[in-house]
Amino acid sequence: MFDNQRLINSMKKFKNGDTSAFDIIYEQTYRMVYYIIYPIVKNKAAAEDVMQNVYINIFEKISWYHDKNSPKAWIATIARNLAIN
């Protein structure tokens, strides 16, 4: 079940170096990410590949995340952009 406050807290923890928070970020967002990607790529295997790239991007670019932004919107933007590309 989605919990926005839990996601916000996990993003802050992950940004501050707590890599265990990444599991919670994934748990809170994977459904949303899949449902953003699938209609764009229209293929389950391709959607799963793009999903993997989304979470790699989150892992690598967490420093770009600003606490003032919605983590859900930030992740959704990454997902949509990678799916389009």
Side-chain angles (χ1 to χ4, degrees), residues 31-67:
R31 287 180 191 90
M32 172 194 73
V33 169
Y34 184 81
Y35 289 116
I36 289 168
I37 295 169
Y38 185 81
I40 297 169
V41 299
K42 296 178 175 60
N43 177 289
K44 183 180 178 190
E48 291 169 353
D49 287 345
V50 174
M51 275 186 75
Q52 183 175 4
N53 289 329
V54 168
Y55 290 101
I56 289 169
N57 267 263
I58 292 168
F59 196 89
E60 292 176 343
K61 297 177 181 175
I62 190 63
S63 64
W64 295 13
Y65 171 72
H66 300 287
D67 294 343

Side-chain angles (χ1 to χ4, degrees), residues 5-32:
Q5 192 58 50
R6 187 172 186 209
L7 179 58
I8 290 168
N9 292 340
S10 296
M11 291 291 284
K12 287 178 184 177
K13 287 179 183 178
F14 186 59
K15 188 174 180 179
N16 289 324
D18 181 356
T19 56
S20 68
F22 190 77
D23 292 339
I24 296 168
I25 295 167
Y26 178 82
E27 171 193 310
Q28 292 290 308
T29 61
Y30 75 93
R31 287 180 191 90
M32 172 194 73

